[in-house]
Amino acid sequence: MSLKSKFISFFTFFIMWGCKKEIPPSYKIKAFYKEVITPEDRKVITPEEAKTYHVNNEYQYEYRTGKSGHYEYNYDVKGVNIKGDSVRGNINIEGKYGAGILIFDTIKDLEIKAEWIDYGKLKATDKYGNEYYLIVN
């Protein structure tokens, strides 16, 4: 190998070694959309949600927020527990799942998690494992 070839090889190696790409520190991407809906979500509309707040009386929801594909809907609901007692409440739903509260006359409001089981019908569970079958008003 000639001196010129050795010099070019060495120079190329030195440049490749010196041009090591730095990897930036990883950052957690903050999504505009919440991953999980909580009962607290129905109490306050954030400034971001207020920008997309929409009411349409032709549909059963009280209001919706968000953008296409990521709407969060608010519904008044009523139904029964497994004993047959009447219940009523309010929930927020995004996709199939959501959360909210059941409102009682004689006891404190109860937080629930809900999921769609059919058109306009939901199954909800409280923190004690009690089940409720609800329909949207």
Side-chain angles (χ1 to χ4, degrees):
M1 197 175 205
S2 72
L3 183 60
K4 187 176 181 180
S5 311
K6 289 180 182 179
F7 180 76
I8 290 174
S9 297
F10 177 76
F11 186 73
T12 305
F13 171 78
F14 186 76
I15 292 208
M16 296 292 264
W17 181 72
C19 292
K20 184 178 174 184
K21 185 177 179 181
E22 280 196 42
I23 301 171
S26 62
Y27 296 99
K28 184 174 182 182
I29 297 172
K30 292 184 179 181
F32 171 72
Y33 304 104
K34 294 181 281 303
E35 293 181 19
V36 176
I37 295 178
T38 66
E40 296 297 312
D41 292 340
R42 50 166 286 290
K43 292 182 181 178
V44 177
I45 296 175
T46 66
E48 282 296 315
E49 290 174 328
K51 294 176 186 175
T52 61
Y53 184 89
H54 177 74
V55 175
N56 187 334
N57 294 331
E58 294 179 25
Y59 296 98
Q60 293 178 316
Y61 60 83
E62 298 299 310
Y63 64 85
R64 87 168 180 230
T65 60
K67 296 181 181 175
S68 183
H70 293 281
Y71 288 125
E72 184 175 311
Y73 295 91
N74 178 273
Y75 294 95
D76 286 332
V77 293
K78 63 182 178 180
V80 295
N81 62 14
I82 56 175
K83 296 177 187 174
D85 300 327
S86 293
V87 295
R88 65 184 174 87
N90 183 270
I91 59 169
N92 278 10
I93 295 276
E94 182 180 345
K96 185 174 178 171
Y97 301 98
I101 61 164
L102 293 178
I103 303 164
F104 298 93
D105 294 331
T106 56
I107 62 172
K108 187 177 175 182
D109 295 349
L110 194 57
E111 294 182 354
I112 56 169
K113 292 186 179 192
E115 71 176 285
W116 291 111
I117 56 172
D118 201 352
Y119 182 79
K121 297 179 181 180
L122 299 129
K123 178 181 175 184
T125 308
D126 64 23
K127 63 183 176 182
Y128 305 110
N130 299 317
E131 293 182 351
Y132 304 87
Y133 293 91
L134 309 169
I135 58 172
V136 295
N137 286 341

